[in-house]
Amino acid sequence: MRRYLIIFLAIIFSIGLFFITKYILNKLTKNNQIFYSALVSIIGFCVFVLLCFMYLELDSFDPSYSYQPPSIIDGKVNDGNFSK
């Protein structure tokens, strides 16, 4: 669910960045303002997604851990656990 939220926010961010860049370039009367605005918004989208995913993955667990699922021994359920 988090990744969909990040992608949605990145799309909103890039659309806003597109219009802000277009507005600024319109004030400066530059040619090819749509191209530059689109380029800036695509780069902004990629940077936003990359930074958000990197931020969320900083506290993820170490993949070297192995998981032992719960098991039944002598009619009793032993809890599962993570071990190195």
Side-chain angles (χ1 to χ4, degrees):
M1 184 66 188
R2 288 189 298 185
R3 66 178 168 209
Y4 298 123
L5 180 62
I6 289 171
I7 292 170
F8 175 73
L9 290 176
I11 290 171
I12 298 299
F13 172 76
S14 65
I15 289 171
L17 193 60
F18 174 82
F19 285 116
I20 290 171
T21 307
K22 186 175 178 296
Y23 175 76
I24 291 171
L25 290 175
N26 194 17
K27 290 291 185 184
L28 297 174
T29 62
K30 292 283 187 181
N31 293 336
N32 296 331
Q33 57 184 315
I34 298 295
F35 172 74
Y36 291 130
S37 299
L39 185 66
V40 168
S41 68
I42 289 171
I43 291 171
F45 175 82
C46 294
V47 168
F48 187 86
V49 168
L50 179 70
L51 290 176
C52 287
F53 282 140
M54 285 176 54
Y55 175 73
L56 287 175
E57 291 301 320
L58 286 177
D59 61 349
S60 63
F61 73 94
D62 185 10
S64 65
Y65 289 111
S66 62
Y67 177 69
Q68 294 177 328
S71 59
I72 299 174
I73 298 177
D74 295 330
K76 294 183 181 179
V77 177
N78 293 337
D79 293 334
N81 59 2
F82 288 96
S83 62
K84 284 191 170 187

